[in-house]
Amino acid sequence: MAAPPHVLPFLSPSASPRAPSGRRRAAGLRCAAAAGQAGFFTRLGRLIKEKAKSDVDKLFSGFSKTRENLSVVDELLTYWNLADTDRVLDDLEEALLVSDFGPKISFRIVDTLRDEIRDGKLKSGSEIKASLKRCILELLTSKGSNTELKLGFRKPAVIMIVGVNGGGKTTSLGKLAHRFKNEGAKVLMAAGDTFRAAARDQLEVWAERTGSEIVIDKDKKAQAPSVLSQAVKRGKREGFDIVLCDTSGRLHTNYGLMEELVTCKKVMAKALPGAPNEVLLVLDGTTGLNMLQQAREFNDVVGITGFILTKLDGTARGGCVVSVVDELGIPVKFIGVGEGVEDLQPFDAEAFVEAIFP
């Protein structure tokens, strides 16, 4: 008896595994299903990225403090002349350092500008500013160009969120869920922060707010790997598109807690080969260059695929975005530029450069 039209034959108990034609038909449907899922994730990633380009005003507003810090650049270059080159470049270097671009990047940018001025390639303040912006954009795109989420080719895509206490992991996860839901994805949250009772409550609020499902530790005794494993298995069993996995905040210097993240990754991969598709490290932008050591330690232990930089609207140290990409070669995937649910923005390098150097 043929399977109902809405049931894939290879999932139907009545499909005969012995008939070669049935196997070919089933294989073809598997390929079609896989292609359909891959297409869904490709479209989802593209839609989220395109939304970033339409939200330029939010980005511009979110970097107001960094932009104010760098406004001295326009003052320096407006009346620039060749005789003032050394003084102007020294002041420019100081402005970059104050905004947490870091010594390595600041010196490299200024040396590049000095060489281009000396070679006669830059002959006006506007040309120097354009070259400055180009240098920063090249730094971001040469090492951190893969800013789109890599969601794989089959459902569910699993995203693991990690970071230290207070960085904004749970809030970032909730805002990600909001974005996915707005694009029509079926989202499952996993309350893997089993150390902090308030984190589970907070995530339940986000689940209700975004219309997502959630897996929690009901008896409050389960460990994080168990909760995350259950969530991934449920996501696979019930056909969720995205599984967002929260984890407990931990200091990067606490070896035992860092090793727990390795266990979490292993149990997810056991439940669904290839999971997690993304491991996103949430970094507090107000810490500036101090975030670099955190990022190195987390990457060494768990293998970070992208950064979420939060609270950038509350700091004038936006240059840290460039520093973390250049130092580690890992892309920034999202940036937090406000308290609103829409204020977790997909990162766009060109929009970022225009926001800090209009």
Side-chain angles (χ1 to χ4, degrees):
M1 181 178 177
H6 63 283
V7 178
L8 294 178
F10 65 89
L11 295 179
S12 169
S14 59
S16 172
R18 292 187 295 273
S21 61
R23 285 201 299 270
R24 286 196 297 271
R25 185 164 56 252
L29 285 167
R30 287 191 189 96
C31 290
Q37 291 179 12
F40 170 80
F41 286 131
T42 300
R43 289 193 300 275
L44 184 62
R46 190 181 301 125
L47 280 168
I48 289 175
K49 188 69 176 176
E50 286 172 356
K51 287 290 178 66
K53 296 184 182 298
S54 67
D55 288 338
V56 172
D57 288 344
K58 287 183 180 294
L59 190 68
F60 193 83
S61 174
F63 279 101
S64 60
K65 291 187 178 181
T66 298
R67 186 169 57 254
E68 184 179 339
N69 226 23
L70 292 168
S71 61
V72 66
V73 173
D74 282 330
E75 296 173 16
L76 290 169
L77 297 179
T78 298
Y79 302 106
W80 172 83
N81 62 67
L82 193 59
D84 285 338
T85 296
D86 287 337
R87 178 188 63 79
V88 167
L89 291 181
D90 286 346
D91 289 344
L92 173 59
E93 184 179 282
E94 183 179 350
L96 294 174
L97 288 169
V98 169
S99 296
D100 263 14
F101 279 82
K104 180 180 172 183
I105 290 174
S106 300
F107 298 161
R108 192 191 313 170
I109 290 173
V110 169
D111 286 345
T112 298
L113 295 177
R114 181 176 281 110
D115 290 343
E116 290 182 344
I117 293 170
R118 183 190 59 206
D119 295 341
K121 296 178 181 178
L122 305 177
K123 299 178 180 179
S124 67
S126 60
E127 289 181 354
I128 295 173
K129 183 177 179 180
S131 182
L132 167 65
K133 292 166 70 172
R134 185 171 61 252
C135 286
I136 294 172
L137 185 59
E138 287 175 357
L139 285 169
L140 288 169
T141 55
S142 63
K143 293 187 177 181
S145 58
N146 297 319
T147 58
E148 286 189 15
L149 289 172
K150 306 302 179 185
L151 300 177
F153 303 101
R154 62 180 177 183
K155 300 179 183 180
V158 180
I159 300 175
M160 183 180 181
I161 309 293
V162 302
V164 301
N165 293 303
K169 292 186 313 305
T170 304
T171 299
S172 295
L173 188 151
K175 291 180 179 180
L176 276 178
H178 172 76
R179 281 196 172 271
F180 285 129
K181 290 291 290 186
N182 278 356
E183 301 305 335
K186 185 180 179 183
V187 178
L188 178 65
M189 297 180 177
D193 187 348
T194 55
F195 286 102
R196 192 168 61 95
R200 184 183 65 177
D201 297 339
Q202 185 182 359
L203 205 62
E204 286 185 289
V205 171
W206 273 110
E208 182 177 352
R209 185 177 181 183
T210 60
S212 304
E213 297 292 317
I214 187 170
V215 173
I216 61 174
D217 168 22
K218 292 182 179 179
D219 60 8
K220 301 182 181 180
K221 294 180 181 179
Q223 297 298 308
S226 174
V227 175
L228 299 184
S229 177
Q230 290 176 43
V232 173
K233 289 176 182 176
R234 180 181 168 187
K236 181 180 179 182
R237 183 174 65 248
E238 299 182 17
F240 283 87
D241 298 314
I242 307 286
V243 180
L244 295 172
C245 299
D246 196 13
T247 59
S248 301
R250 62 205 69 216
L251 289 173
H252 55 285
T253 52
N254 189 317
Y255 179 79
L257 288 179
M258 292 292 283
E259 283 298 306
E260 185 188 62
L261 292 178
V262 177
T263 304
C264 288
K265 278 191 72 176
K266 287 180 178 178
V267 299
M268 285 190 278
K270 185 176 180 180
L272 180 67
N277 301 86
E278 291 270 14
V279 181
L280 303 181
L281 173 61
V282 177
L283 294 169
D284 182 344
T286 62
T287 63
L289 289 175
N290 294 326
M291 70 173 64
L292 287 176
Q293 190 56 36
Q294 289 178 30
R296 290 191 193 99
E297 295 288 345
F298 273 94
N299 187 47
D300 288 346
V301 172
V302 77
I304 302 302
T305 60
F307 298 117
I308 298 176
L309 300 187
T310 62
K311 308 178 186 179
L312 288 169
D313 57 309
T315 180
R317 306 167 82 177
C320 63
V321 174
V322 186
S323 298
V324 74
V325 172
D326 181 71
E327 194 74 22
L328 297 172
I330 298 171
V332 175
K333 304 263 179 167
F334 290 88
I335 52 176
V337 291
E339 295 293 329
V341 69
E342 298 283 354
D343 291 334
L344 185 69
Q345 295 287 308
F347 182 68
D348 181 271
E350 290 186 27
F352 166 75
V353 173
E354 289 300 323
I356 61 173
F357 290 112

